C-alpha cells in the first residue's frame, strides 16, 4: 500500500514542529537525547541494508551454479542446431508468447470477443449457407423455409 506524499509531508512537518518546541523547552538535554536516538536509527538502517545485501549475495551464490549449468546446456544445444532450426525454435517460442497474450486479452474482453465472434460467424457462414442451398435440389423450398425461420426468430426476440 503506497503512502501518500502529503501524508509523509504532514508527518515530517509535525515531527519537526515537535522537535523545535521540545528543543526550545528542554534545551541541550533534548538535543543530546534526539541525537542518540538518531544515531541508533542510522546504525539500525545501515545494519538492515547490509543484511539485505548479504541476503541477496548469498541467494545469488546459492542459485548461480544452477544458472551456469542451464546456460551451458542452452549454449551446447544452440551450437548443435543449424540456423533454420534456431529460427524455428524462436518462432515457436514467440508463437507461444503471442497465444498466451491473446488468451489473456480474450479473457479480459470476453463479452466483446463473443460479440465479434458472432458477427464473424455470420460473415463466414452466410456465404457457405448460400452455396449449400444453391446445390440442393429445389432451393426455393429451402430458402423459403429458412426465411420463415429467421422471421419467426426475429418476431420472438422483438
Amino acid at each position: 500500500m503506497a503512502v501518500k506524499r502529503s501524508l509523509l509531508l504532514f508527518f515530517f512537518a509535525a515531527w519537526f514542529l515537535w522537535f523545535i518546541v521540545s528543543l526550545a523547552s528542554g534545551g541541550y538535554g533534548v538535543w543530546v537525547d534526539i541525537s542518540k536516538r538518531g544515531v541508533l536509527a542510522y546504525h539500525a538502517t545501515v545494519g538492515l541494508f547490509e543484511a539485505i545485501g548479504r541476503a541477496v549475495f548469498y541467494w545469488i551464490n546459492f542459485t548461480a551454479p544452477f544458472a551456469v549449468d542451464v546456460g551451458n546446456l542452452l549454449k551446447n544445444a544452440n551450437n548443435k542446431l543449424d540456423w533454420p532450426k534456431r529460427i524455428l525454435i524462436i518462432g515457436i517460442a514467440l508463437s507461444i508468447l503471442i497465444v498466451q497474450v491473446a488468451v489473456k486479452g480474450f479473457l479480459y474482453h470476453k463479452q466483446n470477443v463473443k460479440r465479434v465472434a458472432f458477427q464473424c460467424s455470420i460473415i463466414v457462414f452466410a456465404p457457405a449457407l448460400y452455396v449449400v442451398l444453391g446445390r440442393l435440389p429445389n432451393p426455393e423450398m429451402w430458402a423459403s423455409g429458412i426465411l420463415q425461420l429467421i422471421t419467426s426468430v426475429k418476431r420472438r426476440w422483438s
Side-chain angles (χ1 to χ4, degrees), residues 95-123:
S95 298
I96 291 171
L97 180 65
I98 289 170
V99 167
Q100 179 185 6
V101 170
V103 167
K104 189 182 277 187
F106 285 147
L107 293 177
Y108 184 73
H109 299 287
K110 192 181 233 179
Q111 194 62 32
N112 292 338
V113 170
K114 286 181 183 178
R115 290 179 187 151
V116 170
F118 177 72
Q119 297 297 326
C120 290
S121 70
I122 291 173
I123 292 170

Side-chain angles (χ1 to χ4, degrees), residues 30-74:
V30 172
W31 175 259
V32 171
D33 183 45
I34 294 296
S35 297
K36 286 180 184 178
R37 291 172 188 250
V39 168
L40 290 174
Y42 169 76
H43 288 300
T45 304
V46 168
L48 171 70
F49 283 107
E50 287 175 352
I52 290 173
R54 281 194 310 273
V56 168
F57 171 78
Y58 286 120
W59 276 107
I60 290 173
N61 190 19
F62 176 69
T63 58
F66 170 75
V68 169
D69 288 345
V70 169
N72 288 336
L73 179 70
L74 292 175

Side-chain angles (χ1 to χ4, degrees), residues 133-142:
L133 288 177
R135 302 214 183 259
L136 291 175
N138 198 0
E140 293 84 18
M141 182 186 73
W142 289 99

Side-chain angles (χ1 to χ4, degrees), residues 123-139 142-143 146:
I123 292 170
V124 170
F125 290 121
L129 184 64
Y130 179 77
V131 169
V132 168
L133 288 177
R135 302 214 183 259
L136 291 175
N138 198 0
W142 289 99
I146 290 176

